[in-house]
């Protein structure tokens, strides 16, 4: 009987989304990195993006994988709604800039930036998955809504990509009142 309870508890924990270390109200770590939009490489600086309004910073495990392709497509389709609500969307992964440049044009439809999350960014946002793919570390699928003041307003931490777009959009709309 004890084994059954332990297995049941383990199954429930496995089905429950992990919690990100950065809770609402925490200051989002600033960063500068390289990213791309529509295949064009540029420098991404969080503080500069926040001057325009809230930022949805969504981490994804790896470009060109099933869930990440679907999530990028869903965010691309929702960009008009995020723009209407006053937010900027930035995808982040530990992929290199060359890969992300192609991914931004192909899977993100050139509608939002994707940027390379180096070890400092991964650690700062507590998104290390603890697994590797093609010899490199990959990140959790965690979405942060960061208010214009640089504080975390909302966190969605779930490896299933299905609800990231809808929950972050609802959080942005609540934050901005738009």
């Amino acid at each position: 009987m004890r084994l059954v309870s332990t297995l049941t508890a383990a199954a429930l924990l496995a089905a429950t989304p992990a919690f990100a270390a950065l809770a609402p109200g925490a200051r989002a770590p600033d960063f500068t990195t390289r990213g791309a939009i529509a295949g064009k490489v540029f420098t991404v600086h969080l503080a500069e993006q926040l001057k325009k309004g809230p930022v949805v910073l969504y981490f994804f495990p790896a470009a060109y994988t099933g869930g990440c392709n679907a999530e990028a497509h869903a965010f691309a389709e929702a960009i008009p709604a995020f723009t209407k609500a006053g937010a900027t969307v930035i995808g982040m992964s530990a992929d290199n800039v060359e890969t992300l440049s192609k991914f931004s044009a192909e899977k993100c439809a050139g509608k939002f930036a994707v940027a390379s999350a180096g070890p400092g960014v991964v650690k700062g946002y507590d998104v290390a998955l603890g697994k590797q793919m093609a010899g490199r570390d990959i990140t959790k699928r965690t979405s942060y809504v960061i208010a214009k003041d640089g504080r975390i307003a909302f966190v969605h931490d779930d490896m299933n990509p299905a609800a990231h777009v809808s929950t972050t959009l609802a959080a942005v709309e609540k934050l901005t009142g738009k």
Side-chain angles (χ1 to χ4, degrees):
M1 188 59 121
R2 186 170 184 207
L3 177 61
V4 171
S5 327
T6 302
L7 290 175
T8 302
L12 287 173
L13 287 174
T16 304
F19 291 98
L22 295 180
R27 181 153 302 280
D30 191 22
F31 63 84
T32 300
T33 190
R34 290 178 0 135
I37 189 166
K40 293 181 174 57
V41 175
F42 70 103
T43 299
V44 178
H45 183 193
L46 179 61
E48 287 299 314
Q49 296 301 315
L50 287 169
K51 289 179 182 177
K52 302 174 197 172
V55 169
V56 174
L57 192 63
Y58 90 89
F59 289 87
F60 59 96
Y64 295 108
T65 57
C68 298
N69 292 348
E71 185 176 32
H73 178 76
F75 267 109
E77 286 189 337
I79 288 301
F82 281 104
T83 301
K84 182 179 176 185
T88 299
V89 173
I90 302 171
M92 300 283 294
S93 80
D95 288 301
N96 63 43
V97 176
E98 292 74 24
T99 299
L100 291 173
S101 178
K102 293 173 191 163
F103 187 74
S104 73
E106 295 171 14
K107 302 300 179 183
C108 306
K111 295 191 176 189
F112 63 93
V114 286
S116 185
V121 173
V122 170
K123 183 178 180 182
Y125 282 89
D126 191 32
V127 291
L129 186 58
K131 294 182 180 180
Q132 288 199 336
M133 179 181 285
R136 64 165 183 74
D137 293 331
I138 57 176
T139 65
K140 296 180 202 174
R141 187 178 313 280
T142 302
S143 298
Y144 289 101
V145 174
I146 305 169
K148 193 172 179 178
D149 67 1
R151 299 231 175 246
I152 304 295
F154 176 81
V155 182
H156 184 84
D157 190 22
D158 188 343
M159 287 303 287
N160 183 337
H164 282 257
V165 174
S166 61
T167 59
T168 55
L169 179 58
V172 168
E173 290 170 341
K174 181 178 177 184
L175 179 67
T176 63
K178 297 181 185 176

